[in-house]
Structure formats: C-alpha cells, structure tokens
Amino acid sequence: MEINPACPLPIQRYPHVLLAHGGGGKLMHQLLEYVFGPAFSNPILDTRHDSAQFTVPPPGRVALTTDSYVVRPLFFPGGDIGSMAVHGTVNDLAMSGARPLYLSCAFIIEEGLPMETLWRIVGSMRDAAQRCGVQIITGDTKVVDKGKGDGLYINTTGIGAIEHSLTIAPQTVQPGDAVIISGDLGRHGMAIMTVREGLQFESTIESDSAPVHKSVLQLIEEGISVHCLRDLTRGGLASALNEIAEAAGVKIAVEQKAIPVREDVHAACEMLGLDPLQVANEGRFVAFVAPKDAERALQILRNQEVSAQAVLIGRVVENAAPLVTIKSAIGASRILDMPSGEQLPRIC
Amino acid sequence: MKFLDEYRDGDLAQQLAREIHRVTTRPWNIMEVCGGQTHAIVKFGIDEVLPQQITLIHGPGCPVCVTPLEMIDKALDIAARPNVIFTSFGDMLRVPGSTTDLLSVKAKGGDVRMVYSPLDAVKLAEQNPTREVVFFGVGFETTAPATAMAVFQAARIGLKNFSMLISHVLVPPAIEALMASLNCRVQAFLAAGHVCAIMGYEEYPPLAAKYRVPIVVTGFEPLDILQGILMCVQQLESGRAEVENQYSRAVRRAGNQPAQELVGQVFKIVPRKWRGVGEIPASGLGLKANYAAFDAELKFGVADRHVDEPADCLSGLVLQGQIKPHECPAFGTRCTPEHPLGATMVSSEGACAAYYRYRRHN
C-alpha cells in the first residue's frame, strides 16, 4: 500500500495537533483511524487490542530493547526522527545478533505540531519498518501542552529473535580479537550539528542513519565467531570502545590511520574542534571477532551496502586494566578517552 | 584532507624528528605559547619523538584558562538575571566559577546560548528587542577582530540591548611577564601562529633581543610544531636569538592590517588579570570610551567585583610552565573534567585537560 502524501480528509480539518487528539475521544480515534492505523497496518496491530499478542519462532530466545528519540530538528539531511526511531531500535536488537521482529511505538506530541509534519514522520516510519522487515504492533499517543515538548518525541521498543547460540557480550572479548568498524564515522552527529547551528559548508553532510541488522545476521549465518557488537551512537567509537574495555577488562589498541572519516566530516570537525571518533553515528557498529575470522568477516560486511566500507582498525591487546589507545598519524600512541559530557565547539 | 594531511605525514614527521636529534647536543626548554599547540603535541605524541634533552613547557595561551575567576563569576551573575540572553563560545560554558558554571545556570532556567560568532549574538539582539543580549568576549588577538566587528556593527545599527563582557588578552605582554619572572626556565618560544596571522610578528624582535630568546612563529599541525622546534634548537645550538616564521603559509610580518585597524578603533589596551597568574600590565583589551554603552560590566553593575582564586588549584603554575599538569596533587583525583578545580582542566585547549585526556596511563 502506498501512503498518500496528502493528509486524509477528516484530519485535514485540523491542520495542527490539538490536546484533544490525545484525549481519548473522537479526535484521537480519528488519528488512530486515519494516520497510524493505515500506515502501520498488520494483522497484530489491526486487532486494536490494548496489548499485542504474538508468538516468537523457536528456539524462543528473544532480545528486548527500548530507546527514546528526541532529535532536533525533526527532519535532517539523510533522515528524520521517524526513520531514526525505527533504525535505532532495530540496530540495538542487531547488537545482540537478534533478528528484529516487532516494534512498539509511543508518540509524545506537542500541541500545535503541524498535522502534515506528523503525517510525513509516520510515513517515514512505515517505510523504514518495511525496509527493516519489522512490524509495528502496538503504540500509544499522548499530546502535551504547547511549550512542554519539542514538537515530537518518539519511543520505540523492539523485540527480536535470537537464533544463534553465541554469547555476544563484552565478557566474551578476548586478547587477540580483531576490532572491525562497519564504515566511516561522524556523519550523523555532524549532519545534526550543521543543521541545528546553521553552519554552512560547501557540501551537505548527510546522516548515516540506516539499519545494520542484515550485515550482522550475515556474519552469524556464515559462522563468524562474533564476540561482541556495539552500535556507535552517542559518544561515538571512543565511548563504545571504552565501555567494552571497561566491561571486559581488556586493553584495546586502534590505529588512527585505519579509521575512515569522510573529508567533509573531517573538515567540519576540525573547524569546530571536535573529534570525529567521539561524534554520534546512526548506522555504524564495531564488531569484535576471533582473529582467525577477521578477513572473512570483512569480506562478508563489505558485501552489504550499509557496511561496504568495513575496515579492521585494531586489536584487543591483553587482559589488563581497561584502556583504549590509539596510534597517531605520526606513530606515537595515546589514550582514546570517552568524551566528557556534550562536545562543545572551541573558541579558536 | 587537503591542507591538513600534508602536515600530518608520518614519514616526514620522523625525518624532522631525526634532524632534531642530530642537531641537539644539550638540554633545552622550549615553551609552546598556545593551548592549541599543547593539544596537538599531546594528541599526536610529538614530545615522544623528541630527544630527551628537549623539554616542552606548556604556555598560557588558552583563552578559556586564563580568564580570571571573577570574570566567570560576573558572567554567571549576568546570565542568571531575568530578561538576559547570555551568549558565549561553547568551551566557556563548562568553566567553573566560584560556585557554579554557565551550563548549570542554564539548567536552572537562565537563557544561556552557545554561538559560533559574536555576530550571531548581534543578530539575536536584533531579533529580541525587548531582551538584553550579552556576549562573553573572550580570547587572544585571534578572536579580537570578530568581537570588535560585533561591537562596531551593533553601534552602526544603533542597538541598545546588546553588550559585551570583555576579557580579551594579549600574547606579547604575557611572554614578557614570563621572561621577567625570576624562576623562568624558558629558553625559546614557539609563538602562536593564529595570533600572529592577525597581529604579525613585529612586536617580537625587541623581546627576543632583550631576553636573548629565539622566538619562532609556529603553526598547529604536527609537522609545523616539529619544524618550529627544529628552528628553535638550531638557533639555541648556534647561540642565536632571532625571530623566525615557520608558519609562513598563514602569517605575514605585518599581519592582517584591516583587522588590526578595527581592533584599534573599538578597543584600548588595559591592564588585565590572568587566572592563576595575576594582573599583567597592558595585557588586555577593553572597550574605548565611545563604545562604553556596550560594556556589560557597566550596564549590569558588576565592574567592581573581586574574587580570590582557590588555593588547591595550581593552574597558575601550570600556565607559567613551572609544573606539568600531572605534578599537581589534585590532578585526576580531586580535579577531573567532570569536577574541575580550574579552567585548565575544562577547556579543549587546557594543558590539564590534554594530559587527562591523552596521558592518564603514564
């Protein structure tokens, strides 16, 4: 079913979301009937029950994750809050090696949000869910007073089926493991920052927001010994590696030269004094795999579009006090630290 | 990346390092003035490829770090007032005052906004005629022209709701104050390339002659810094004390004259307090009398505030190059980027932050 780009007729009478659209009465019913219902339609959702009922395929092990999306602006180059809310939760499931199945979806809408904006975002969620092969099977809508929200917040919870018998967790990480990232870094964070702050560069930096579960499932299907996976969202590669080093009690060493950063992202980061390794991504992950499988893992990842630029960036060195080091361009080694709070552009 | 990767080439860096090893016969102490250079040195591990005889001393060239505590307190006072939009560059927001910082003032309801240029603050004032917009004008000669342009524009369009809390400082008086102090160990300077891009380097030959120190105007990339160090060592080893320009791709002897003229039109030279160092005569910029209407200190009645600095923060000694950050007893324990005692632990150019971020394992 193609979603009509124009708002459905009864909704058109209300160009903006009103408090009553969350009030449980006729207007809310219309919202469900004409906006959410048709966009997300599937047999489970269509029962319109208070809770969704489903069975998971054998062996019955599941992964559950939840995330709230508060990105501003709602639309940014390369994506929007809707597609991001689907991709982000799908990716969190993928980090357990789970096959994403179902999502729940809760909207907190600020009174006065243009109905057309909501309509576009719902359409984008529908497209993203379809692309990821997941169904949105239950949801909730609340409308808050004008000024009490930032347009729109979305929470999604995801359930995925774990069909493998690996233990994908920091505790499985071992000395010698290859550290692989699935592509270039820093695009989402810089896309948002350039739009939010009105910075103008010659080219538009687009977010890397994308689902990565197919790449991960392919690794598992091909029998790669995947020890740990982590998506490189807030805090970027630097945070992810430090968290894993901390939880696994290992030292990780990576090479600056091996880490791909697109030229425009690099330039924007240099200008603002930010480190691309600490900037958020929405379609990138790091994989720790057994050394014997490193080369094959790279080939498998490179066969998938979303991870076509996968590279080996370093190794787990030893069981030691948790530490991440990076070899600089001139060959000296230093700490790669977790960012402290929000990254703030410098004076000069 | 073009114009950047060329200056980070590992093989060329090794060549320069080998040449420095070859010409060095004795111990030398060289100060890099600018915090941006300090960060590059620690981030790329430049000091690790130098001969042991060469000690790099980290200088006072971090504008955030040298902004005195009382100026931060004045900013916090103004930012917390109703009807004020307080604007600042990003890295001032986390700097601790006596009791709080700007991000905390924001969390409590103050309208604190990060801007990328002082002209953005002027625009905000135009868009919000019923509110007072204040810009925190911090920085060395590098950012002074942009601050001056904002004041100039605000005056030209007759803005009444715009003012600046000015804490601009100047590099040459700081170098002079360092050299004049009795316990100064510095034998040569890497002068800050970006400051010189604006101001040129005609102020330096008298300093080099008076204190018999080589001064090399130096850029910020690893190869720039290595070449600057090599030029310093060559001078030191041959007994010369001259001013040289390593950063000739950006710096001319006379600097950027239109920028200097604008700064001269808006600002006068004033004595200025430096955090951890104390007052240095003729080391800062203040608004000229005909721009006094834009002086936030006068507008908000905070000009007379004086605050003593905490005794357990040794950032003054760090900024004067007398101790290394990790030699401070509070480093990494009572003082971290999350709970800083002083600005050197907060700013992206602060020496303590650089050591904490890149060197904690040593």
Side-chain angles (χ1 to χ4, degrees):
Chain A
M1 182 197 82
E2 263 310 303
I3 206 161
N4 187 336
C7 248
L9 205 58
I11 296 292
Q12 273 184 354
R13 287 178 39 214
Y14 299 97
H16 295 94
V17 175
L18 308 179
L19 273 178
H21 280 113
K26 272 191 187 159
L27 287 190
M28 185 165 131
H29 183 75
Q30 278 187 3
L31 208 55
L32 299 180
E33 187 73 16
Y34 294 104
V35 179
F36 299 121
F40 301 150
S41 172
N42 59 68
I44 304 175
L45 179 73
D46 294 347
T47 60
R48 301 281 174 95
H49 198 44
D50 271 358
S51 52
Q53 299 171 24
F54 57 91
T55 39
V56 288
R61 218 172 134 216
V62 295
L64 173 73
T65 186
T66 189
D67 209 339
S68 299
Y69 299 83
V70 298
V71 66
R72 185 174 54 89
L74 298 176
F75 300 90
F76 48 84
D80 58 71
I81 189 170
S83 55
M84 197 176 144
V86 173
H87 296 158
T89 296
V90 161
N91 289 348
D92 281 341
L93 291 172
M95 294 305 108
S96 295
R99 184 182 303 282
L101 299 174
Y102 302 119
L103 300 186
S104 79
C105 169
F107 292 85
I108 297 173
I109 307 170
E110 184 186 1
E111 181 187 15
L113 181 80
M115 195 59 85
E116 196 251 335
T117 301
L118 180 66
W119 182 244
R120 277 173 64 198
I121 288 167
V122 166
S124 161
M125 284 188 88
R126 187 203 70 129
D127 292 348
Q130 223 164 44
R131 192 169 150 212
C132 297
V134 295
Q135 295 182 333
I136 295 169
I137 56 171
T138 185
D140 179 50
T141 309
K142 294 281 187 305
V143 180
V144 296
D145 290 324
K146 179 109 187 139
K148 298 280 170 63
D150 214 350
L152 176 66
Y153 302 138
I154 300 177
N155 170 278
T156 51
T157 293
I159 284 200
I162 299 179
E163 293 155 355
H164 59 78
S165 54
L166 302 168
T167 306
I168 298 178
Q171 288 70 22
T172 314
V173 168
Q174 290 163 19
D177 277 2
V179 181
I180 291 171
I181 57 171
S182 66
D184 66 309
L185 298 186
R187 265 198 270 152
H188 178 73
M190 295 319 292
I192 296 291
M193 185 168 287
T194 48
V195 180
R196 192 184 292 173
E197 308 299 345
L199 300 179
Q200 284 163 355
F201 297 104
E202 275 176 22
S203 59
T204 306
I205 299 174
E206 295 199 329
S207 168
D208 61 343
S209 177
V212 301
H213 61 293
K214 283 182 188 150
S215 298
V216 171
L217 293 174
Q218 201 62 36
L219 286 177
I220 294 169
E221 235 159 71
E222 304 259 356
I224 299 295
S225 289
V226 178
H227 291 168
C228 189
L229 300 164
R230 186 65 56 99
D231 57 357
L232 306 177
T233 51
R234 276 171 304 171
L237 178 70
S239 278
L241 292 182
N242 275 286
E243 283 164 13
I244 291 168
E246 181 80 35
V250 294
K251 183 177 166 190
I252 300 169
V254 298
E255 285 222 19
Q256 181 90 53
K257 264 199 264 183
I259 301 171
V261 176
R262 243 172 47 172
E263 190 144 318
D264 49 1
V265 173
H266 190 177
C269 283
E270 282 290 334
M271 209 171 283
L272 296 172
L274 305 179
D275 184 346
L277 307 192
Q278 296 185 338
V279 173
N281 311 275
E282 284 295 331
R284 296 287 177 263
F285 64 95
V286 61
F288 288 71
V289 304
K292 64 174 174 54
D293 289 344
E295 210 30 64
R296 220 153 46 86
L298 282 171
Q299 281 166 15
I300 294 164
L301 290 175
R302 285 173 186 159
N303 282 334
Q304 299 286 333
E305 194 188 338
V306 73
S307 52
Q309 272 190 294
V311 280
L312 177 74
I313 60 164
R315 298 266 170 199
V316 177
V317 185
E318 55 185 338
N319 286 314
L323 187 70
V324 182
T325 62
I326 185 164
K327 201 166 155 195
S328 78
I330 68 163
S333 175
R334 64 160 169 99
I335 287 183
L336 177 61
D337 202 7
M338 218 182 253
S340 172
E342 204 179 341
Q343 285 202 297
L344 299 172
R346 67 176 174 210
I347 289 183
C348 60
Chain B
M1 189 178 138
K2 220 176 162 198
F3 307 123
L4 207 58
D5 291 339
E6 301 91 308
Y7 302 100
R8 293 181 181 177
D9 183 291
D11 293 337
L12 289 175
Q14 292 303 332
Q15 273 181 37
L16 278 168
R18 276 197 297 276
E19 185 58 16
I20 295 170
H21 276 266
R22 197 184 63 77
V23 300
T24 305
T25 65
R26 278 180 287 166
W28 299 112
N29 296 327
I30 301 171
M31 174 178 274
E32 82 279 0
V33 170
C34 175
Q37 292 166 333
T38 304
H39 256 256
I41 287 167
V42 184
K43 181 174 177 185
F44 289 95
I46 292 170
D47 48 347
E48 289 178 25
V49 302
L50 294 177
Q52 280 194 338
Q53 295 113 304
I54 293 183
T55 306
L56 293 178
I57 298 177
H58 312 311
C62 158
V64 175
C65 306
V66 300
T67 302
L69 190 57
E70 63 191 32
M71 195 58 88
I72 310 280
D73 282 359
K74 287 174 189 177
L76 294 167
D77 179 335
I78 296 170
R81 297 190 194 193
N83 207 37
V84 165
I85 301 175
F86 193 88
T87 60
S88 165
F89 291 129
D91 48 1
M92 285 307 291
L93 298 181
R94 258 202 298 261
V95 178
S98 299
T99 56
T100 182
D101 57 47
L102 284 168
L103 284 179
S104 304
V105 169
K106 179 170 185 273
K108 284 185 194 149
D111 193 346
V112 177
R113 302 188 196 183
M114 182 177 75
V115 291
Y116 291 90
S117 153
L119 287 173
D120 293 344
V122 173
K123 218 179 287 167
L124 265 179
E126 278 183 277
Q127 290 160 354
N128 295 275
T130 60
R131 307 199 44 198
E132 281 293 334
V133 175
V134 184
F135 177 75
F136 201 175
V138 173
F140 283 93
E141 292 92 329
T142 327
T143 49
T147 315
M149 177 58 95
V151 175
F152 181 78
Q153 292 288 358
R156 193 181 57 83
I157 53 181
L159 276 182
K160 300 274 182 264
N161 63 329
F162 177 76
S163 59
M164 290 234 180
L165 185 60
I166 299 285
S167 191
H168 271 297
V169 280
L170 304 171
V171 167
I175 292 185
E176 170 123 42
L178 278 170
M179 289 313 296
S181 73
L182 292 173
N183 43 11
C184 179
R185 299 187 293 139
V186 181
Q187 293 164 298
F189 284 96
L190 303 181
H194 290 163
V195 168
C196 296
I198 304 292
M199 300 306 292
Y201 51 93
E202 283 167 346
E203 290 170 279
Y204 293 116
L207 282 175
K210 183 171 172 190
Y211 295 102
R212 295 284 312 148
V213 282
I215 300 177
V216 177
V217 177
T218 304
F220 299 83
E221 294 302 321
L223 293 193
D224 290 325
I225 293 170
L226 283 165
Q227 196 183 19
I229 292 169
L230 176 62
M231 289 162 81
C232 279
V233 175
Q234 283 168 332
Q235 286 203 45
L236 288 165
E237 290 282 348
S238 59
R240 288 180 292 133
E242 296 162 10
V243 176
E244 292 181 296
N245 182 11
Q246 179 279 329
Y247 202 31
S248 57
R249 68 179 185 279
V251 175
R252 301 282 167 274
R253 187 178 186 89
N256 179 340
Q257 279 156 330
Q260 291 168 25
E261 279 160 23
L262 186 65
V263 170
Q265 195 177 330
V266 173
F267 291 123
K268 61 184 176 189
I269 290 177
V270 296
R272 180 76 68 201
K273 223 172 166 179
W274 293 53
R275 190 167 192 167
V277 179
E279 186 169 295
I280 303 177
S283 69
L285 296 174
L287 288 165
K288 280 187 167 168
N290 47 338
Y291 290 100
F294 297 99
D295 190 335
E297 287 197 58
L298 301 176
K299 198 174 213 176
F300 294 93
V302 295
D304 295 329
R305 185 155 315 174
H306 296 288
V307 183
D308 288 329
E309 293 181 30
D312 51 351
C313 175
L314 303 186
S315 63
L317 297 179
V318 173
L319 291 169
Q320 294 172 72
Q322 293 184 19
I323 61 168
K324 294 265 186 187
H326 60 279
E327 289 162 8
C328 171
F331 178 81
T333 53
R334 279 176 298 127
C335 182
T336 62
E338 288 73 34
H339 298 285
L341 289 178
T344 43
M345 186 53 100
V346 187
S347 163
S348 58
E349 293 179 29
C352 297
Y355 270 64
Y356 187 87
R357 196 163 153 193
Y358 302 129
R359 285 287 164 81
R360 228 156 53 240
H361 58 312
N362 291 346

